[in-house]
Amino acid sequence: ALGANRSCIRELFEYGRQRAAVVGAENVFDYSLGNPSIPSPPEVNETIRQILEDTDSLTLHGYTTAVGDLATRKAIADDLNARYGTDILPGELFIGCGAAPELCAVLKAVTTPGSKVLALAPYFPEYKPFAESAGAVFEVVPPDVPSFQIPFDALETLLTKDVNAIIVNSPNNPAGTVYTVDTLKKLSALLTEKSAEFGHPIYIIADEPYRELCYDGITAPFIPTIYQNTVVCYSYSKSLSLPGERIGYIYVPRQAENGEDLYLAVAGAARAAGHVCAPSLWQKVIARCTHLRPDLCAYDKNRRALYDGLVAAGYEVAKPDGAFYLFVKAPGGDANAFSEFAKTKDVLLVPGDGFGCPGWFRLCYCVSYDQIIRSLPVFAQMIQEYK
Ligand code: PLP
């Protein structure tokens, strides 16, 4: 059963590799996978070199504390405190192997078998298997099309007594939405009211791999400063372009309800899944690199070129404030059919059905600018032919 449901994104990506072997990589317009296309800041590799020189091999490659090196947790806490005016302690941080296993641990910690986890559509498709493997029931709040903001009426209807958590992903994959402080305050007020009514906390699980990827001067609010029952799952996969290295952290505020027990539960859930002691070298790199931020110029240039080009060709596109995805309304209304049609032109786009938003498709613009420019005439031709 576990093998039966394959990731549609991964399948498209594999298909693209096969096509590239046949027609040449430059002739496949692959917009399937969110693999960063800007290099890590040069300080990252420079730090690795320094660490290799100044750290003895046993320390470098040995196990760290299960929850992560104290020096790493302290560096992260200091950075967050300087940025957000918080007073986070190293003991509230757990160093994880990226947002995916962090989400699994947190979902396990905040739910009991059969309790519910909500996600706001469009949502990252892996949430469903993550929540279900924790034994929870996964429910989706339908999308507010085309704003992709939070549909509060629909959310309120789904907020029943058995809901333990809601996953909030801002900046959002796939729509690029960044929730404003006002929106998050409204969410906080609703969750506070419902938690009081039900007699138990409803946690926000803030899934934040894209926190640093915002454009046009926008910044993503740090949700724990707005709603105290927030657990953050952060990842350096996108912010420092390190998706293959598997490094990030979980922040469990001590001020959250049952905060200290919750931290222990998160660590215990990670342990039960065999997920302790994130890669030692990468913990040491992060300890020295928490101040680094991505240079977003290339993504921003891609975002503008693709958005403007698609709108000019007649597509309806959600204007993204963050992340590196564009969410586009499928001509004809059936995103699966349009994706299949696009494959015949060697254009790979991901139907929105898996994100809980049929009728739309996702493009990852973390690709070369050249790919975007060369694909625009193909997109223009596709919408004309499809009519
Ligand atoms: N959450 C979202 C919204 C994502 O888009 C991704 C990866 O693309 C993840 C979590 C998993 O990220 P990581 O590489 O940190 O496991």
Side-chain angles (χ1 to χ4, degrees):
L2 281 171
N5 284 327
R6 300 217 37 215
S7 155
C8 141
I9 300 173
R10 288 271 165 190
E11 292 208 333
L12 259 181
F13 177 66
E14 294 305 333
Y15 172 82
R17 290 169 87 118
Q18 286 162 20
R19 281 300 292 163
V22 179
V23 298
E26 70 285 3
N27 296 316
V28 180
F29 302 115
D30 185 354
Y31 288 100
S32 64
L33 193 65
N35 215 358
S37 60
I38 57 172
S40 304
E43 291 92 332
V44 169
N45 287 358
E46 186 46 44
T47 304
I48 296 174
R49 284 187 206 100
Q50 281 167 11
I51 291 172
L52 291 178
E53 293 207 342
D54 67 27
T55 311
D56 74 86
S57 187
L58 281 178
T59 310
L60 179 58
H61 301 300
Y63 286 122
T64 67
T65 318
V67 298
D69 248 346
L70 181 59
T72 309
R73 288 180 290 128
K74 180 158 184 342
I76 294 168
D78 288 348
D79 179 60
L80 291 173
N81 293 339
R83 292 171 76 188
Y84 301 116
T86 44
D87 65 345
I88 298 169
L89 301 171
E92 295 164 90
L93 296 168
F94 178 96
I95 309 300
C97 299
E102 291 162 12
L103 286 164
C104 291
V106 174
L107 283 162
K108 183 88 180 156
V110 299
T111 57
T112 48
S115 70
K116 285 185 185 162
V117 171
L118 302 184
L120 300 157
Y123 63 88
F124 181 53
E126 302 303 277
Y127 293 159
K128 184 171 153 62
F130 292 170
E132 288 176 350
S133 72
V137 176
F138 181 71
E139 276 198 356
V140 177
V141 183
D144 188 5
V145 181
S147 79
F148 300 111
Q149 289 294 326
I150 300 178
F152 281 98
D153 289 345
L155 169 60
E156 192 165 351
T157 313
L158 288 171
L159 272 176
T160 50
K161 195 172 171 38
D162 40 12
V163 174
N164 283 153
I166 174 166
I167 306 175
V168 174
N169 171 224
S170 171
N172 175 266
N173 172 8
T177 317
V178 180
Y179 299 132
T180 62
V181 171
D182 284 348
T183 301
L184 292 167
K185 279 187 178 162
K186 197 168 165 192
L187 178 63
S188 167
L190 177 63
L191 295 180
T192 304
E193 181 198 315
K194 291 288 174 185
S195 297
E197 184 184 328
F198 301 145
H200 65 78
I202 302 170
Y203 292 99
I204 287 183
I205 303 175
D207 177 26
E208 298 201 336
Y210 303 96
R211 190 198 301 147
E212 264 59 76
L213 276 64
C214 293
Y215 310 97
D216 299 332
I218 290 170
T219 49
F222 189 55
I223 304 178
T225 59
I226 298 171
Y227 183 65
Q228 72 172 14
N229 287 329
T230 299
V231 179
V232 175
C233 296
Y234 185 83
S235 164
Y236 294 95
S237 291
K238 320 286 170 161
S239 59
L240 293 185
S241 296
L242 297 171
E245 305 298 356
R246 317 308 303 141
I247 191 81
Y249 62 83
I250 303 171
Y251 165 45
V252 186
R254 62 186 184 284
Q255 296 88 350
E257 203 164 327
N258 307 323
E260 287 174 17
D261 285 345
L262 184 57
Y263 179 87
L264 294 175
V266 166
R271 175 184 172 210
H275 165 214
V276 288
C277 181
S280 169
L281 169 63
W282 284 99
Q283 292 195 48
K284 291 174 177 53
V285 172
I286 294 304
R288 301 183 193 192
C289 288
T290 50
H291 61 287
L292 298 179
R293 308 283 175 257
D295 175 359
L296 299 179
C297 291
Y299 290 153
D300 197 18
K301 189 173 165 197
N302 286 1
R303 178 182 74 116
R304 288 167 192 277
L306 194 55
Y307 179 86
D308 291 347
L310 291 180
V311 169
Y315 290 88
E316 182 179 341
V317 188
K319 182 111 205 233
D321 293 325
F324 43 45
Y325 306 101
L326 223 58
F327 212 40
V328 186
K329 194 167 178 187
D334 181 341
N336 282 296
F338 191 71
S339 171
E340 285 303 316
F341 169 68
K343 272 163 88 176
T344 66
K345 311 282 182 195
D346 286 318
V347 178
L348 306 186
L349 43 91
V350 184
D353 301 56
F355 300 100
C357 193
W360 289 68
F361 62 83
R362 185 190 78 171
L363 300 174
C364 297
Y365 57 80
C366 42
V367 296
S368 70
Y369 182 68
D370 176 62
Q371 169 175 325
I372 290 177
I373 297 306
R374 288 188 301 109
S375 69
L376 285 176
V378 186
F379 276 107
Q381 186 199 346
M382 285 199 301
I383 195 170
Q384 289 307 326
E385 264 187 48
Y386 210 68
K387 274 180 188 162

